[in-house]
């Protein structure tokens, strides 16, 4: 699975995957990054198919979305 995001300014970014119980499965990004476009690949080979939630958070913004992992 691949996720794309863009930063208009340098910012701390945290991108994490959660199960539907709210338990953090994996943290994909946890770093200060300069402005630009980014691609993050999630190696979900060890994770079961199902519905997951990803959360991207910066110092000024956050977003939460559902995703379906099919194998």
């Amino acid at each position: 699975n691949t996720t794309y995001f863009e930063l208009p300014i340098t910012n701390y970014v945290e991108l994490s995957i959660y199960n539907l119980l709210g338990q953090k499965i994996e943290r994909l990004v946890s770093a200060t990054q300069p402005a630009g476009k980014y691609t993050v690949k999630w190696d979900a080979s060890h994770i079961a198919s199902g519905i997951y939630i990803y959360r991207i958070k910066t110092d000024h913004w956050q977003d939460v979305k559902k995703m379906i992992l099919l194998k």
Side-chain angles (χ1 to χ4, degrees), residues 24-49:
K24 189 180 293 185
I25 301 297
E26 196 164 347
R27 181 177 292 154
L28 303 177
V29 177
S30 179
T32 299
Q33 298 185 318
K37 295 180 181 181
Y38 294 89
T39 301
V40 179
K41 290 193 177 224
W42 178 34
D43 176 11
S45 60
H46 61 287
I47 305 293
S49 294

Side-chain angles (χ1 to χ4, degrees):
N1 290 358
T2 303
T3 301
Y4 305 93
F5 65 92
E6 186 173 348
L7 297 174
I9 59 172
T10 298
N11 225 316
Y12 174 78
V13 177
E14 185 175 303
L15 176 60
S16 299
I17 309 292
Y18 297 85
N19 64 19
L20 289 179
L21 298 175
Q23 299 166 320
K24 189 180 293 185
I25 301 297
E26 196 164 347
R27 181 177 292 154
L28 303 177
V29 177
S30 179
T32 299
Q33 298 185 318
K37 295 180 181 181
Y38 294 89
T39 301
V40 179
K41 290 193 177 224
W42 178 34
D43 176 11
S45 60
H46 61 287
I47 305 293
S49 294
I51 299 173
Y52 293 89
I53 296 168
Y54 70 89
R55 183 180 113 187
I56 185 167
K57 179 181 174 186
T58 70
D59 292 330
H60 307 286
W61 173 83
Q62 77 172 5
D63 197 12
V64 177
K65 302 264 183 179
K66 286 185 186 177
M67 67 177 165
I68 298 173
L69 176 63
L70 296 175
K71 292 188 175 185

